[in-house]
Amino acid sequence: MTFFDYFANKKPTTASLAKERLQIIVAHERNLRNQPDYLPALQKEIMEVICRYVDVNVDDVDVQLDKNGNCSVLELNVTLPNTRN
Amino acid sequence: MITSGKGGVGKTTSSAAISSGLAMHGHKTAVIDFDIGLRNLDLIMNCERRVVYDFVNVINGEATLHQALIRDKRCDNLYILPASQTRDKDALTKEGVEKVLAELAADGFEFIICDSPAGIEHGAFMALYFADEAIVVANPEVSSVRDSDRILGILQSKSRRAENGERVAEHLLLSRYNAERVERGEMLGVEDVEEILATKLLGVIPECESVLKASNQGLPVIHDAQSRAGQAYKDAVARLLGNDVEQRFLTPEHKGFFQRLFRRSA
Ligand SMILES: Nc1ncnc2c1ncn2[C@@H]1O[C@H](COP(=O)(O)OP(=O)(O)OP(=O)(O)O)[C@@H](O)[C@H]1O
Ligand SMILES: [Mg+2]
């Protein structure tokens, strides 16, 4: 830290940290609120189908519904275990 | 209705002040304590020794609304409906609450202020379900702001208005605001909270010693015309009634020239 930095006080304030954290968590929670009621069931069934073919954990499957303007995108991310082919 | 999600942020203080303010403007106003089992509004309004029947008695048909309503000693147009101290929250039913609200409306009450309990459980839900307008009280602090956002979500999805495809009008009341700490970057500022919650600001109530003094005496703080909190509530009530009143108390008070000079060079 230089002499000048000391006076410029570049460190973010705790209030700005609070704001940043709130913006992230509130956006996340709004997303969950707005998801359709069928999403958990859909996620569960997709999981079951995948498990029939590959040996994966619940944590390895991520199903998300994202709103992009007036269309929704169902995003499916599966982390497959290391397989030796 | 007055809500917050988080407890202890100033719902009851605000319910007492705002209902008194509306009555002082000449509107026939009722204020209902929905905090079943933990009533406090009676103390803040200084009518705790005049409680005979309560909200649950009226719902259960054990007393008439007229027997249970307590007339405020200071404002002619103000009536208090106290919460029950002995029952649990489930004593409130949708039908029962609806019946009481309808009877108050038929009786010529122009404003019915519902003081919600904390949380998002049954009691809070009963207080918000029939709301046309909601005043969300928040403190400039992370957990309160987050809970306010949750309550706003519930208002717009679970209330009767939401079920009918309408919106509950929302107002943000930011309370216990400390402009000095905001200036030092230690507390969320009013613009920050407005931006995060995307809700129209009704007013900012400063952190103020007068609130505790008012509750000690059972005198809603709006009657303390000298106090900053009292004045801030007066402004908020005027805005609720559609008047255009400029926001106050957003900057630190009496800051002398030397202090300002000092802060700037620090
Ligand atoms: N503007 C203010 N300045 C200073 N103290 C305040 C202010 N507003 C409220 N308080 C204090 O905060 C405490 C909680 O206030 P209050 O009872 O109104 O909150 P509440 O949201 O109704 O709480 P609960 O969730 O328990 O019902 C009280 O001690 C009150 O005196
Ligand atoms: Mg309360």
Side-chain angles (χ1 to χ4, degrees):
Chain A
M1 191 161 75
T2 67
F3 184 73
F4 180 75
D5 280 343
Y6 182 76
F7 285 101
N9 192 17
K10 290 261 175 58
K11 237 172 85 191
T13 62
T14 57
S16 59
L17 277 176
K19 182 178 182 184
E20 203 183 301
R21 290 173 60 217
L22 273 169
Q23 278 170 324
I24 294 166
I25 190 66
V26 160
H28 175 72
E29 287 176 345
R30 281 184 192 155
N31 233 350
L32 291 182
R33 269 207 304 270
N34 295 335
Q35 72 180 19
D37 297 339
Y38 61 73
L39 201 65
L42 176 73
Q43 281 168 326
K44 188 165 160 278
E45 283 188 46
I46 291 177
M47 263 298 291
E48 282 164 9
V49 173
I50 293 171
C51 287
R52 238 180 276 151
Y53 295 89
V54 249
D55 185 23
V56 291
N57 285 320
V58 187
D59 297 340
D60 299 330
V61 183
D62 179 36
V63 187
Q64 264 190 13
L65 196 67
D66 283 322
K67 266 229 164 83
N68 264 328
N70 53 2
C71 75
S72 300
V73 180
L74 184 69
E75 203 179 277
L76 178 66
N77 279 304
V78 188
T79 314
L80 293 179
N82 266 338
T83 44
R84 280 166 274 120
N85 346 319
Chain B
M1 65 96 37
I2 312 232
T3 185
S4 71
K6 188 172 157 59
V9 298
K11 294 177 293 295
T12 301
T13 303
S14 300
S15 299
I18 291 172
S19 57
S20 299
L22 290 168
M24 283 150 83
H25 276 271
H27 298 285
K28 193 171 175 189
T29 304
V31 56
I32 308 180
D33 191 348
F34 273 76
D35 209 340
I36 307 298
L38 282 174
R39 78 166 170 236
N40 270 326
L41 185 69
D42 55 339
L43 270 178
I44 302 300
M45 312 265 321
N46 198 18
C47 63
E48 70 276 10
R49 288 183 309 174
R50 290 196 286 147
V51 175
V52 183
Y53 295 110
D54 60 53
F55 192 14
V56 174
N57 291 139
V58 179
I59 287 178
N60 292 347
E62 295 150 4
T64 65
L65 183 59
H66 282 258
Q67 287 174 313
L69 281 176
I70 303 172
R71 190 188 181 134
D72 188 70
K73 286 230 170 99
R74 297 179 195 90
C75 306
D76 281 344
N77 305 304
L78 182 58
Y79 293 81
I80 300 122
L81 185 55
S84 168
Q85 190 70 302
T86 51
R87 324 274 179 119
D88 63 283
K89 289 186 165 57
D90 297 331
L92 296 182
T93 59
K94 242 189 211 174
E95 297 70 32
V97 174
E98 185 172 27
K99 191 190 80 180
V100 172
L101 295 178
E103 206 176 325
L104 285 167
D107 225 17
F109 280 94
E110 296 165 82
F111 291 98
I112 304 169
I113 304 291
C114 303
D115 179 18
S116 173
I120 50 173
E121 318 255 292
H122 184 72
F125 177 65
M126 283 298 118
L128 70 75
Y129 183 73
F130 296 101
D132 296 316
E133 301 197 31
I135 297 175
V136 178
V137 183
N139 293 164
E141 172 266 317
V142 284
S143 45
S144 171
V145 174
R146 179 205 211 166
D147 288 356
S148 296
D149 192 70
R150 290 194 67 185
I151 276 288
L152 287 165
I154 293 171
L155 275 164
Q156 302 309 353
S157 62
K158 303 266 161 62
S159 61
R160 182 170 63 175
R161 284 212 160 199
E163 284 175 0
N164 295 337
E166 298 165 332
R167 275 186 78 81
V168 176
E170 305 165 339
H171 309 273
L172 169 65
L173 189 63
L174 191 59
S175 190
R176 310 201 68 160
Y177 196 74
N178 185 327
E180 285 84 8
R181 301 196 73 180
V182 172
E183 200 180 63
R184 289 200 297 268
E186 294 173 5
M187 183 181 265
L188 288 162
V190 58
E191 299 89 5
D192 300 331
V193 181
E194 269 185 283
E195 186 186 330
I196 294 161
L197 295 178
T199 301
K200 196 169 175 309
L201 182 70
L202 175 65
V204 172
I205 312 295
E207 169 81 24
C208 186
E209 290 177 4
S210 61
V211 175
L212 181 59
K213 283 195 224 157
S215 73
N216 287 341
Q217 308 170 69
L219 180 77
V221 71
I222 197 164
H223 291 289
D224 183 354
Q226 305 303 314
S227 71
R228 285 157 54 86
Q231 292 169 17
Y233 276 118
K234 267 213 177 95
D235 289 0
V237 169
R239 287 186 204 109
L240 261 186
L241 293 171
N243 299 304
D244 194 11
V245 183
E246 213 189 314
Q247 296 290 346
R248 293 195 273 171
F249 310 111
L250 306 184
T251 48
E253 63 179 329
H254 2 272
K255 217 162 101 186
F257 171 72
F258 283 107
Q259 253 176 304
R260 216 174 300 169
L261 197 71
F262 183 72
R263 175 135 303 145
R264 204 158 291 162
S265 59

